[in-house]
Amino acid sequence: MAVDPSGAALAALRAHAPDEPVVMLNLLRFAPGGRDSYLEYSRRAAPFLQRYGGELLYAGDGGTPLVAEDGQAWDAVLLVRYPSREAFSRMVSDPEYQRITALRSQALAEAVLQPTTPWTRPGRH
């Protein structure tokens, strides 16, 4: 299972409104013993979030789903806001940041990393 964004995915992200803010939805399923590694990754990633203008909006444990198919429960959910898609792309491409990504990769059995955009007007979907 993929747990890290590919170069093609990052290019597609930058191609759509690269200068607009984006909130990244992170759905995480930890590998056995992976929670501690992910927490260490989070601690080390915090300075990069600050450097690139990112902000952790929410981080929490996943509960028992009320509506989901088998296997769709997640161990943790995070929402991280970036000032732009370009800022997110620059952060994940930063060579210093790249040195800590192994902690994230080894921590996760599965992940979803999905950019979101706000509904700015009532009725807009």
Side-chain angles (χ1 to χ4, degrees), residues 5-124:
S6 69
L10 289 172
L13 176 77
R14 287 189 308 267
H16 177 76
D19 297 326
E20 291 183 11
V22 63
V23 174
M24 298 299 278
L25 168 66
N26 294 254
L27 301 174
L28 310 175
R29 188 165 295 119
F30 297 117
R35 182 179 292 272
D36 289 339
S37 181
Y38 193 86
L39 292 174
E40 178 63 16
Y41 158 78
S42 295
R43 186 186 68 73
R44 291 185 188 188
F48 294 99
L49 275 180
Q50 184 176 21
R51 181 183 305 167
Y52 291 96
E55 175 187 7
L56 178 63
L57 301 176
Y58 176 82
D61 291 327
T64 302
L66 300 178
V67 177
E69 299 296 325
D70 287 342
Q72 290 183 323
W74 296 96
D75 294 327
V77 176
L78 287 82
L79 292 171
V80 184
R81 183 187 183 282
Y82 296 88
S84 67
R85 292 166 182 251
E86 183 63 31
F88 172 80
S89 183
R90 284 193 325 268
M91 184 188 84
V92 299
S93 299
D94 183 313
E96 289 180 57
Y97 173 81
Q98 287 289 316
R99 287 196 272 282
I100 67 166
T101 60
L103 288 168
R104 182 182 184 279
S105 298
Q106 72 189 22
L108 299 175
E110 190 173 5
V112 170
L113 182 59
Q114 182 172 349
T116 69
T117 53
W119 292 352
T120 56
R121 296 186 303 269
R124 180 179 174 201

